[in-house]
Every structure is written in C-alpha cells, then in structure tokens.
Amino acid sequence: MTLNRRNFLELAAAGTALSALSISAAHAQGDDTIRIGIAANNPRHSDPNQTTQGPDNWAVEQMYEQLVRPEDGKFALTPEDYQPVLATEWTMSEDAKTWTFKLREGVQFHRGYGEMTADDVAFTFLKAKDFGTGRVIFANIADAVANGPYEVVISLHQPDVNFLGTTVFSLNANIVSKKAYEEIGVEKFTTDAVGTGPYELAKYDSESGTYLKRFEDYWGEPAKVGNIECLYIADTTARTLALVSGQVDMIEAVRAPGWIDSILQRDPNMKIDMTVPGSFNTLHVNLTRAPFDNLLVRQALMHAIDRKTVADALAPMGGVLVGLQPDFFPPGLKTEDLPPELRYEYDPEKSKALLAEAGFPNGVSFDALCSQREDYSSTMLIVQELIRPAGFNMNLIIGDHTAYHADNRSDKNTLAMHASSYPPIPTQIYIQQLYSKAEVKADGSGGGNYSHYGVAIPGVDALLEQALSATDYDTYLQLCREIELQVLRDLPLIGLSTLSYTMVRNPRLELGYEVESGYARWRLHRATKA
C-alpha cells in the first residue's frame, strides 16, 4: 500500500503548490502572528454550538472558554483533575443530579458585550440542550438557572458523577454572550463569534480561514502573541511546503504512512506534537443498506480487516483498538478479556465462508464515500485493500472533507469512517455514535449514529441509560464493558484504530507546555514565537 511515502515525496517536490499562500517567509518569521495550516478546504462555523468539522475547533478553542478545563496538554482522568476557568468553584449534590457553579467576576465578552453573568451561562447550556450539535450530550440537563449574577445551578434528569467531563468541558458548553447572540441573530452568529477567550475574532473568511487578534480585556494572563491565523490548506503538498518554507508556523500533520519520517528528513529540527490516543477511528456500518443488514456479512467484514495492520501502517501515530476504545481507557478491555468468537481475528477465508453462508458466494460490491483528508483517505485505502481478498469490493468515492461530513449527516454513506478525539469517559462515544437518539436523518437533523443502531436493530440504549444514571463508578464501568461486548456481537460500529492527532511546528514556536494527550485542538495564548 503505497499512498504513501513515494507518492508523498513526489508531490512534495512540486513547489508550485506554494501558490496557495501569499505570505512571505521572512514576514512570517519576524511578525507577531501564529499561522496554522489546517487540513480542510474552508471553515464552516465559529459558533461552538454548531461546529461539525474538527479543523474549525482550532479557532473556537482560542475564542471561547468553558466553566472548567483540564491542564493544558492533558486529559482530565478524574473529576478532580479539572481546573477552574470561568467557574471558580463548584459542588455536586449527594444524588449527583444538581451541580452549582460559582462564577468568576469581571469576565468580559469580546467587542464590548459586557460582563459574563449567570444569565449567559444558563443561556449557553439551555441553547446547547435545545439546538446545535450537542443536543444528545445535553439531553440529561433538566434546567439551568441563574441564582444571582455569579452563581448558576444546573439540574439533571439523571445522576452524572462525570458531569464535568461528559458535558461541562464539551465544545457546546463554551460560554456565549446571550446579548450578542440575540442581537446578531442565529444565522449570523454561526460565523460571528463572541466569547470570553484570550483571542477574539478579527475576520472570518469563508474561503481562506479565520483570523484572530489578542483580546485586550481578557480576564487572565494576556496572550503572548498578538494574532493567530487559522489558514485552511487542504492540499497536503501545499500545507507541507508552507511549513518547511516558513510561510506558516505549524500544520496539521499528514496522517499517512511514512510522513513523519519524510518531514524529519527534510528538516530534523521540526517539533512533533502528538496526542495519545488521539482520534478514535470508527467505521459505521449502515444497517439499513443491503447487504450490511445481514449480521453474517458484518462478521465477514470484521474478519476481513486486520486491525493491527491498519495501526502499524500509520505508525508512529497508529494504535490498536480492541473494541471501541484503547485498552488503557476505561472500560479497559483487552483481547484476552474477550470471548474467542468476539476477537475477530484476521481470517479472509473465514470471511469468504461467512459471505457464502449469507448468500454471496461471489462476494459483494458497494460504494462508500470517503474524505480526501489524509487520515481518512489513508485509513480507508488500507481497509479497501485488506478486505478485497475476502470478497469485499469497495469502491471509494473520495471527495471534499467538509462535504463528506455533510453527506454523512444526511445518511448518504454505506461504510462511514468517523474520527473523533474522546476523553477517558467511555459513555461519550456511545452517546454520540450508538445511541438511538443520535440516529442520522436524511434531512441532516439527526446525530452521529450513522449505522441506525437501536432503530434498525435493537441497540444498547438500556445499558447506556443505566450507565449514565449510575452513582457508583465500578457499576458504571461494568455497564460500559457490557456495552462494548454487545457492540462486538452486533457490529454496527467497528473500531479500526487510534490515530494520534499530530501537529508539526517550526522550533521557533514554543507552546508553553508539553502536549501529552487531549483533544485535537489546544490553546495558544501561552505560546511564544522567536
């Protein structure tokens, strides 16, 4: 499989791709701006409640803030690991159904929209509950009420001992100005951000990117670099050459075989920042489309995919998934913990036999949509080759990354790969990708359950709801293990691999902290540029 190093190096020799940018290298090295090369064609949203493509979150992360967050560069492994941000302290009721947050006083919104108060916080949570991409995550919220200007009380339908991680530190819980939202309007607010973060929106360009400037009235330590430009450069060659020529300071790495080695051969001084585990690469099997409505076909597909080969091909960024989560995350399943029939060892001959038993002795052919972004296309091209000897002829239709997400959200795919970073809170992936309430809809109004699990066939809703209402952590973990096992029996969703989210930066840019884990975005207000 050589999409790969040879092809990449050939492409990288094409200096004409640098015409995608017009910044001079000398200017980029000497000015007060951090420039990021982002792997997508164009931005879609700057409203944190509506983001649907990961690249947009780089700007969101600088402009908005939640009530709490982990230490920069890390995940919060326990509730105690969360640090105060817009909230200074918080308490949980004994039944884990009422959370009270005391707010930081004097926090200002961008562009003169005044002080943040409990009304803004309550508005943010209720808006996320009723509108936007986080409706399923926020469905447990019964109400959010301001108790004076600096205290908000959030009540839940069911207990949630992990509320800080499951909900409060989600993108949709970034606090927005109620006044700005109402004045600007729902439609315009999509690309007209007003938050409390260390950077504010200077310009939103639907073609080239999002431009930010230091927020001079920021409540905390001011950003060290004055400006950030999130530049959308989907072409891997252009993005790579923009970095090595000094036109940008950091880029999303090309998460394809051999790329890390090739970039370090070009310049061994480049800094590699890599999250572990990074993205969870999952493959949604559309249960409403023949022949994948047949369990035998899904079992054949599972035996046709050598998941270790997928991970190894993407080393050093790739990691193996046993179920839907890495074995060092809760619920912590290892291969030896699984019944033999759920280990799905790589066996093309067994795949052929299962296909024949299902009525397809000559194999099956089907179309699948795929994003052109490197991590998606590399992974799916590997899968395409792995499953071919078993009798699966997958015709990949590779297109624009932004359009790909829109098509998935409109139920247009058969095998839909999805890449998302998740914290060590196992129920998040179940809520977003398996819960029947997150079922995809043809009109785009649904969620991220692209397989129709829990609707086309019985799912794991009951187990998930028990886990979400557990007040004992051991019970919570055991229920999550049962969900993992049931998913391996039904196969609506396949864990392909983990893939460390990776950025490459010029050594003149220092982040101010080490990246160890965390989401596919991080804050830059502590960064310095030589």
Side-chain angles (χ1 to χ4, degrees):
M1 249 159 282
T2 54
L3 167 92
N4 315 347
R5 185 164 175 177
R6 180 175 61 82
N7 291 344
F8 169 74
L9 291 175
E10 289 174 356
L11 285 170
T16 55
L18 280 171
S19 61
L21 294 174
S22 59
I23 309 160
S24 74
H27 179 65
Q29 290 179 14
D31 64 2
D32 191 31
T33 301
I34 297 172
R35 295 181 176 86
I36 312 170
I38 292 176
N41 279 328
N42 51 269
R44 297 191 70 191
H45 301 112
S46 62
D47 177 357
N49 200 39
Q50 297 188 60
T51 57
T52 55
Q53 66 171 0
D56 290 348
N57 298 333
W58 274 94
V60 166
E61 189 76 358
Q62 320 310 320
M63 295 186 291
Y64 287 93
E65 297 173 305
Q66 299 98 332
L67 298 179
V68 303
R69 67 176 296 116
E71 183 181 347
D72 286 338
K74 297 181 180 180
F75 272 134
L77 297 177
T78 69
E80 289 72 29
D81 291 337
Y82 285 97
Q83 300 180 342
V85 184
L86 297 181
T88 57
E89 56 184 282
W90 50 91
T91 58
M92 178 187 76
S93 63
E94 288 188 9
D95 64 0
K97 293 175 65 175
T98 303
W99 289 74
T100 303
F101 296 87
K102 292 192 179 298
L103 304 181
R104 191 176 300 279
E105 299 183 24
V107 174
Q108 297 297 312
F109 282 111
H110 302 159
R111 290 159 46 190
Y113 273 100
E115 185 184 18
M116 179 201 73
T117 69
D119 285 335
D120 299 296
V121 175
F123 171 78
T124 295
F125 277 84
L126 293 176
K127 180 168 80 80
K129 168 181 162 58
D130 297 330
F131 171 74
T133 58
R135 290 191 299 274
V136 174
I137 293 175
F138 282 72
N140 191 32
I141 292 178
D143 205 358
V145 178
N147 183 21
Y150 303 116
E151 183 176 281
V152 65
V153 180
I154 300 176
S155 55
L156 309 179
H157 294 294
Q158 300 293 334
D160 187 355
V161 293
N162 290 321
F163 184 59
L164 297 180
T166 60
T167 309
V168 178
F169 185 60
S170 70
L171 275 173
N172 305 78
N174 278 291
I175 305 304
V176 302
S177 165
K178 179 181 179 182
K179 179 181 179 182
Y181 191 84
E182 291 174 345
E183 287 187 2
I184 294 171
V186 176
E187 185 175 349
K188 288 186 178 180
F189 199 82
T190 299
T191 58
D192 195 3
V194 178
T196 65
Y199 288 92
E200 62 179 314
L201 184 66
K203 182 177 72 169
Y204 179 94
D205 188 315
S206 61
E207 296 298 325
S208 65
T210 308
Y211 300 78
L212 315 176
K213 63 181 180 181
R214 181 193 293 122
F215 179 40
E216 300 297 344
D217 292 326
Y218 182 57
W219 61 267
E221 182 180 354
K224 297 183 183 301
V225 177
N227 306 281
I228 295 176
E229 295 180 358
C230 299
L231 304 170
Y232 285 63
I233 314 171
D235 182 83
T236 61
T237 307
R239 197 165 71 253
T240 303
L241 292 176
L243 176 69
V244 298
S245 68
Q247 292 190 325
V248 298
D249 303 295
M250 59 193 297
I251 64 168
E252 284 193 66
V254 178
R255 292 193 283 176
W259 188 84
I260 291 291
D261 289 342
S262 68
I263 196 70
L264 290 176
Q265 286 176 6
R266 281 176 162 269
D267 187 343
N269 295 316
M270 289 293 180
K271 300 294 184 182
I272 311 294
D273 299 306
M274 189 179 298
T275 64
V276 177
S279 299
F280 293 29
N281 290 347
T282 54
L283 187 63
H284 291 255
V285 184
N286 194 326
L287 302 172
T288 68
R289 297 194 181 190
F292 295 104
D293 54 344
N294 188 319
L295 178 59
L296 293 173
V297 174
R298 300 197 298 276
Q299 291 172 339
L301 179 67
M302 193 67 163
H303 280 293
I305 300 174
D306 187 345
R307 287 170 288 165
K308 187 176 185 303
T309 293
V310 176
D312 289 348
L314 296 164
M317 296 175 279
V320 175
L321 285 173
V322 174
L324 298 181
Q325 307 189 55
D327 60 13
F328 57 92
F329 264 34
L333 284 178
K334 296 178 171 55
T335 301
E336 55 267 27
D337 298 325
L338 300 176
E341 69 274 13
L342 297 184
R343 295 180 185 179
Y344 295 106
E345 295 176 355
Y346 177 57
D347 190 341
E349 293 305 314
K350 186 167 186 176
S351 293
K352 290 179 182 178
L354 286 165
L355 282 178
E357 184 181 351
F360 301 97
N362 298 318
V364 297
S365 298
F366 62 96
D367 293 339
L369 306 179
C370 179
S371 167
Q372 69 183 10
R373 208 175 80 178
E374 309 84 28
D375 52 329
Y376 282 77
S377 58
S378 296
T379 301
M380 288 302 287
L381 285 165
I382 293 167
V383 170
Q384 181 186 47
E385 292 304 313
L386 285 172
I387 65 178
R388 195 187 308 277
F392 289 95
N393 180 26
M394 177 170 64
N395 175 39
L396 282 179
I397 302 170
I398 299 177
D400 172 66
H401 183 69
T402 303
Y404 170 76
H405 279 295
D407 286 342
N408 282 343
R409 288 277 177 177
S410 301
D411 196 25
K412 295 180 180 178
N413 214 343
T414 301
L415 288 184
M417 179 182 151
H418 184 78
S420 285
S421 297
Y422 287 98
I425 299 172
T427 47
Q428 283 204 5
I429 190 171
Y430 310 149
I431 290 171
Q432 291 181 335
Q433 300 192 40
L434 292 170
Y435 203 15
S436 67
K437 293 180 180 178
E439 183 193 15
V440 65
K441 304 291 184 184
D443 64 2
S445 65
N449 176 357
Y450 304 142
S451 65
H452 301 272
Y453 191 46
V455 180
I457 63 173
V460 291
D461 284 12
L463 288 170
L464 176 55
E465 287 162 6
Q466 290 177 54
L468 291 171
S469 62
T471 56
D472 174 78
Y473 193 66
D474 289 339
T475 301
Y476 170 83
L477 289 183
Q478 181 55 41
L479 288 162
C480 290
R481 292 187 188 102
E482 292 181 29
I483 290 172
E484 292 280 335
L485 293 174
Q486 189 60 50
V487 172
L488 285 170
R489 293 186 193 101
D490 295 336
L491 298 178
L493 187 65
I494 296 172
L496 290 175
S497 65
T498 61
L499 189 62
S500 291
Y501 184 77
T502 306
M503 297 290 289
V504 184
R505 58 184 162 89
N506 192 295
R508 68 175 178 266
L509 178 66
E510 289 292 340
L511 300 178
Y513 55 89
E514 295 294 323
V515 175
E516 299 176 13
S517 60
Y519 287 104
R521 59 187 188 270
W522 43 82
R523 296 202 292 180
L524 296 173
H525 70 294
R526 293 165 58 185
T528 55
K529 182 178 175 184

